[in-house]
């Protein structure tokens, strides 16, 4: 309990209790404090509009850094796009041309994504545009890589096929003919050695002593090795696939059996004069899809241009065939 104070009142000549001004003091104090708090609040509020807090500064730095990184990523994407464009260009203009595949249309390579907006969840932010553009770019890049990868898979298959096609097609001379003088008669109209009548000679004749080795001119499977075809005597037919067959006639001896797989250059038989033949020689034919074609066009790769011309000269002479 606080003390009760009195004062002497001259007018009434009596002691009177001093009324405490506690309430008034408290009121003023409270008012002052409220005012101070209010102004402090206003000050801080206004100041915060112009002055950044350390935390804000840190966040701002981080955001700037993120933006910078995004821009750098875009630059890198630009480089990746350029590299991919170069690969696509080579793919279309070299590889696909070489392997006889149609180029992939630009629209297909550059196709974006239609339909629903894939980037809706990225909208509504300050950096939305930058982020959406980057995402779009990366998505397209990804899609282009898939298209390119598929194209190269296709090329790889075509290359393998071409390789086996090239190995299969008859492409070497079936007997050793280094000075090319063994080429006795070519494909075309020739005088028949027996009747002397001018008629079509469907192959090439290579003269050689009896027993000279005969080689498979391409990879394939021996379809026949018998003498049951009139005129050819002992003969071999090799099926090379892709519509190609080669035929070797008037053999002295076989070195392969029916259904045997052979590689280009394998020894398949020996020169003889069986069947309708005037002297020991190899009669050689090439069939494409059942039709006989001129074997002269099949020695690419094994002859130089000069040798080829010499062979062509020999083969073009309209002489008498050996049949
Ligand atoms: Zn012939």
């Amino acid at each position: 309990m606080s003390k009760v104070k009195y004062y002497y009142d001259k007018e009434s000549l009596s002691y009177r209790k001093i009324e405490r001004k506690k309430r008034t003091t408290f009121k003023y104090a409270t008012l002052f404090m409220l005012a101070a708090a209010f102004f402090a609040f206003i000050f801080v509020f206004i100041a915060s509009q112009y002055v950044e807090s350390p935390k804000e500064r840190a966040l701002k730095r981080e955001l700037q850094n993120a933006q910078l990184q995004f821009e750098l990523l875009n630059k890198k994407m630009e480089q990746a796009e350029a590299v991919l464009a170069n690969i696509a260009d080579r793919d279309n203009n070299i590889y696909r041309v070489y392997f006889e595949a149609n180029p992939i249309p630009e629209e297909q390579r550059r196709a974006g994504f239609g339909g629903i907006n894939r980037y809706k969840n990225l909208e509504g932010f300050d950096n939305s545009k930058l982020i959406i553009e980057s995402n779009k770019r990366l998505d397209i890049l990804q899609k282009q890589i898939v298209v390119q990868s598929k194209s190269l898979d296709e090329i790889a298959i075509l290359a393998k096929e071409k390789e086996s096609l090239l190995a299969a097609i008859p492409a070497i001379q079936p007997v050793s003919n280094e000075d090319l003088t063994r080429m006795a008669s070519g494909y075309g109209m020739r005088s028949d050695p027996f009747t002397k009548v001018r008629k079509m000679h469907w192959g090439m004749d290579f003269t050689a002593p009896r027993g000279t080795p005969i080689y498979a001119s391409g990879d394939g499977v021996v379809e026949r090795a018998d003498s049951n075809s009139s005129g050819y005597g002992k003969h071999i037919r090799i099926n090379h696939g892709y519509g190609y067959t080669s035929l070797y006639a008037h053999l002295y001896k076989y070195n392969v059996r029916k259904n045997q797989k052979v590689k280009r250059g394998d020894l398949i038989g020996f020169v003889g004069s069986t069947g309708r033949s005037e002297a020991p020689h190899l009669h050689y034919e090439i069939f494409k899809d059942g039709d006989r074609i001129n074997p002269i066009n099949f020695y690419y790769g094994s002859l130089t241009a000069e040798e080829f011309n010499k062979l062509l000269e020999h083969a073009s002479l309209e002489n008498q065939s050996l049949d």
Side-chain angles (χ1 to χ4, degrees):
M1 264 303 218
S2 60
K3 285 180 191 168
V4 178
K5 289 185 178 171
Y6 297 89
Y7 77 98
Y8 185 71
D9 187 351
K10 286 173 185 164
E11 280 172 35
S12 63
L13 301 178
S14 63
Y15 287 98
R16 292 179 74 96
K17 207 192 252 178
I18 296 173
E19 285 293 334
R20 294 201 55 180
K21 292 178 181 171
K22 202 174 166 188
R23 281 181 61 141
T24 324
T25 315
F26 182 73
K27 216 163 83 185
Y28 281 127
T30 310
L31 207 62
F32 175 76
M33 264 153 61
L34 273 176
F38 176 73
F39 281 109
F41 178 76
I42 294 283
F43 176 77
V44 168
F45 179 76
I46 291 171
S48 73
Q49 300 297 302
Y50 299 99
V51 181
E52 289 168 348
S53 72
K55 198 175 170 189
E56 275 176 332
R57 268 204 299 278
L59 282 175
K60 202 167 176 181
R61 256 208 319 277
E62 207 170 303
L63 197 60
Q64 273 171 344
N65 184 44
Q67 262 170 340
L68 183 72
Q69 293 306 326
F70 251 100
E71 275 157 27
L72 286 177
L73 279 179
N74 269 289
K75 280 259 180 300
K76 284 184 185 171
M77 275 197 269
E78 214 170 278
Q79 288 166 354
E81 281 164 1
V83 171
L84 189 61
N86 183 277
I87 294 173
D89 188 57
R90 272 187 286 165
D91 185 41
N92 265 351
N93 296 312
I94 300 174
Y95 308 138
R96 297 188 71 85
V97 171
Y98 183 74
F99 293 106
E100 289 154 44
N102 289 326
I104 296 176
E106 193 61 17
E107 311 86 71
Q108 195 184 327
R109 284 192 188 270
R110 291 206 58 86
F113 296 90
I116 51 153
N117 182 1
R118 302 161 57 91
Y119 311 105
K120 203 152 186 78
N121 58 338
L122 299 174
E123 282 171 1
F125 299 97
D126 284 349
N127 293 312
S128 283
K129 201 174 164 224
L130 181 65
I131 294 172
I132 289 174
E133 283 309 310
S134 308
N135 267 288
K136 262 189 198 164
R137 215 165 171 176
L138 200 55
D139 283 346
I140 291 174
L141 198 60
Q142 237 169 1
K143 207 174 168 187
Q144 283 177 303
I145 289 172
V146 171
V147 170
Q148 185 55 59
S149 166
K150 277 187 185 157
S151 171
L152 289 177
D153 285 346
E154 199 186 325
I155 294 292
I157 292 168
L158 290 173
K160 243 199 164 83
E161 277 174 12
K162 192 137 186 164
E163 209 174 284
S164 67
L165 168 75
L166 289 178
I169 289 178
I172 60 166
Q173 297 185 85
V175 291
S176 175
N177 188 22
E178 274 163 29
D179 59 4
L180 306 173
T181 50
R182 282 187 171 163
M183 231 308 297
S185 184
Y187 175 99
M189 299 304 284
R190 296 290 182 276
S191 171
D192 184 287
F194 299 100
T195 62
K196 311 295 177 197
V197 170
R198 198 169 170 266
K199 65 165 208 188
M200 186 62 195
H201 182 238
W202 293 105
M204 285 178 108
D205 290 343
F206 294 91
T207 56
R210 201 174 84 160
T212 301
I214 300 169
Y215 308 106
S217 55
D219 293 4
V221 178
V222 176
E223 201 172 65
R224 287 179 65 169
D226 58 62
S227 53
N228 301 330
S229 238
S230 91
Y232 288 131
K234 287 184 177 173
H235 76 293
I236 292 169
R237 287 175 203 250
I238 296 174
N239 186 343
H240 301 282
Y242 307 97
Y244 291 98
T245 304
S246 57
L247 183 150
Y248 313 77
H250 314 303
L251 271 52
Y252 167 59
K253 241 168 58 179
Y254 305 110
N255 196 46
V256 288
R257 288 181 316 276
K258 191 181 164 176
N259 295 329
Q260 190 175 324
K261 267 190 171 178
V262 291
K263 290 263 172 211
R264 176 176 296 149
D266 281 357
L267 176 63
I268 54 170
F270 301 93
V271 170
S273 194
T274 56
R276 196 171 182 278
S277 167
E278 197 192 37
H281 80 287
L282 171 70
H283 173 89
Y284 176 61
E285 290 183 10
I286 294 179
F287 294 78
K288 173 75 171 76
D289 298 324
D291 294 325
R292 286 180 284 199
I293 52 180
N294 193 346
I296 189 78
N297 298 318
F298 284 83
Y299 303 119
Y300 53 77
S302 61
L303 293 176
T304 65
E306 206 177 308
E307 287 170 332
F308 180 78
N309 284 335
K310 194 173 169 192
L311 193 68
L312 186 62
E313 207 178 294
H314 275 274
S316 305
L317 284 176
E318 199 181 324
N319 51 9
Q320 181 178 295
S321 65
L322 299 166
D323 259 36

